[in-house]
Amino acid sequence: MLMLVLAVYACRREPAFGGRIIASANRGANRGRRGDVADLTKDLAQGPGAVLAFGPQPEKSMLSYRHAFHAGNYADVLKHAVLLELLSYFNRKDKPWHYIDTHAGGGCYALDSEQAGKTAEYVDGIARLWDRDDLPEPLAAYRAAVAQFNPHGRLLFYPGSPALAMTAARTQDRLRLFELHPADFESLERTFASEAERVQCRKADGFAALKGLLPPPSRRAVVLIDPPYELKEDYRRVVDCLKDALRRFPTGTYAVWYPLLARPEARALPARLAEIGADSWLDVRLAVRQPPRDGFGMFGSGMFIVNPPWVLPERLEAMMPWLVETLDALRGFAAERDWEQFHTPKNLAMALSGEAGEVIEHFQWLTAEQSADLAPEVRDAVALELADVLLYLVRLADVLDVDLVAAAERKLVINAERYPVDRARGRSDKYDRL
Ligand SMILES: C[S@@+](CC[C@H](N)C(=O)[O-])C[C@H]1O[C@@H](n2cnc3c(N)ncnc32)[C@H](O)[C@@H]1O
């Protein structure tokens, strides 16, 4: 289901209890409502139920992940906008900083490449921001940085974290980049070939290599820890790596990106990071859809920032509600086209009924047998009509602030009471005739 977008910022500025939680949940009419932490807890705790997997389950290989497939997606938007906020805060002082990227990726990505084109994830990410003239200030800065790689105005390239960090770097600042995948490493080296003085790229395990750079000579550093999480052990290594880094350099600013996923390690990660004992941290999450009920698939992502600049919560509050609205799978589609004005409950209900009619058209005049044996192309056309019905239904529920899944669960209980098995079995009569 696509109707819910949720952004949560949980922020602790004191070492002990005294935690401050700021949450913003968007649900239909209550857009921009604050202080709704219970919603998040419920949504994240609800869980997907059981995942049943039979037979041997292969672990993915360490290097099966390629960021080119995901460049510029909604997770990159959050990660990179936050990263630029951190660096722009560091730029308030002339003193040099180090930027360390433990998992740097390829540096810069062509959005018309075969890889990026295959998934086109950027369409629901950076592309949603590209032509908007109402960007809040932190996002305007992020888009301006991406625009440096697209000087002719068309969105053709997406800069990864090292390339974006480079847009903030001054002559005195230094970038230290780690990447293990041979092809991505080659691309990274190529991207920074002319910057050997400021940028060092190493084909090494970023988790292990980080310790060798801490503390940096300037005692000022932003460290991005952004593993693929294809391997279960990445979740443990992130925690160990951060613990070790904080022992060596307690005042560094560390940003850990993590996926919102149903798998237990992913659900436990933010709490495990919070338990490390950093003096100050901030956890910002953006969910672009409800957690899938089958338990599969990412529904958002988060950034856990240790030692965040004091201005960061305020900056995030300026951008997150807008991002929530824009990156939501359905609302963003309507907003991009300025269709919200047409999406009144009345119009949506009529459109829903019209789309249901289009489903029926395919079956009109068919015998029962023919309707159960559709030609592949007709079945495909029906699938698309069903999708329209679903999309209008979800959108209608969204504008009416109806939790569809909860309503369906409630209706199933009502139906079970109306049609008791002993009276309804084998009969098609309405409940008041049973
Ligand atoms: C999520 S991508 C990085 C994206 C990049 N930080 C950005 O935001 O543009 C993760 C990268 O880590 C690389 N990788 C995987 N394990 C690694 C390790 N142990 N050390 C360094 N790089 C690793 C993968 O090849 C992949 O390119």
Side-chain angles (χ1 to χ4, degrees), residues 179-232:
E179 172 55 47
L180 269 184
H181 195 287
D184 279 323
F185 180 72
E186 200 190 310
S187 155
L188 190 67
E189 274 204 309
R190 225 181 311 119
T191 306
F192 293 103
S194 60
E195 288 286 355
E197 202 180 318
R198 288 193 291 169
V199 184
Q200 277 176 18
C201 306
R202 277 183 52 204
K203 193 161 149 198
D205 176 352
F207 285 129
L210 178 60
K211 57 168 76 75
L213 294 180
L214 301 180
S218 64
R219 296 284 199 276
R220 297 183 83 215
V222 172
V223 179
L224 176 65
I225 304 176
D226 181 23
Y229 298 100
E230 293 268 287
L231 298 180
K232 219 172 166 177

Side-chain angles (χ1 to χ4, degrees), residues 27-267:
R27 225 183 253 271
N30 293 324
R31 275 167 211 177
R33 187 173 69 201
R34 293 187 59 208
D36 203 348
V37 179
D39 273 346
L40 171 81
T41 326
K42 195 182 91 207
D43 283 320
L44 292 182
Q46 242 172 14
V51 176
L52 299 177
F54 298 95
Q57 301 302 306
E59 259 289 17
K60 290 204 172 136
S61 112
M62 188 181 216
L63 296 175
S64 56
Y65 179 94
R66 304 299 306 280
H67 198 64
F69 288 105
H70 312 285
N73 68 3
Y74 65 80
D76 266 5
V77 171
L78 175 69
K79 181 200 330 173
H80 294 153
V82 170
L83 175 62
L84 286 175
E85 281 300 307
L86 298 178
L87 294 174
S88 103
Y89 179 79
F90 271 57
N91 277 349
R92 289 182 177 196
K93 286 190 189 153
D94 290 337
K95 208 171 163 206
W97 46 255
H98 269 66
Y99 168 71
I100 304 170
D101 204 326
T102 58
H103 296 72
C108 194
Y109 307 90
L111 295 176
D112 61 357
S113 72
E114 200 189 323
Q115 287 165 321
K118 213 171 208 159
T119 45
E121 290 187 14
Y122 70 95
V123 170
D124 292 324
I126 178 66
R128 291 248 170 115
L129 285 68
W130 194 244
D131 292 319
R132 295 286 291 262
D133 53 13
D134 58 346
L135 292 179
E137 215 240 291
L139 291 172
Y142 158 67
R143 185 181 57 188
V146 178
Q148 291 184 31
F149 299 81
N150 296 280
H152 303 298
R154 262 188 72 208
L155 181 59
L156 294 173
F157 294 96
Y158 187 78
S161 50
L164 282 168
M166 197 63 190
T167 66
R170 303 153 305 171
T171 46
Q172 65 270 40
D173 304 322
R174 297 289 176 264
L175 275 68
R176 301 290 177 258
L177 314 173
F178 299 97
E179 172 55 47
L180 269 184
H181 195 287
D184 279 323
F185 180 72
E186 200 190 310
S187 155
L188 190 67
E189 274 204 309
R190 225 181 311 119
T191 306
F192 293 103
S194 60
E195 288 286 355
E197 202 180 318
R198 288 193 291 169
V199 184
Q200 277 176 18
C201 306
R202 277 183 52 204
K203 193 161 149 198
D205 176 352
F207 285 129
L210 178 60
K211 57 168 76 75
L213 294 180
L214 301 180
S218 64
R219 296 284 199 276
R220 297 183 83 215
V222 172
V223 179
L224 176 65
I225 304 176
D226 181 23
Y229 298 100
E230 293 268 287
L231 298 180
K232 219 172 166 177
E233 67 179 37
D234 276 355
Y235 292 93
R236 178 187 51 77
R237 294 193 78 194
V238 162
V239 176
D240 292 347
C241 173
L242 187 59
K243 265 190 205 161
D244 180 71
L246 276 168
R247 262 196 303 274
R248 292 166 195 272
F249 181 39
T251 55
T253 293
Y254 302 87
V256 177
W257 180 88
Y258 63 90
L260 293 180
L261 281 171
R263 67 184 292 177
E265 305 81 32
R267 291 160 63 104

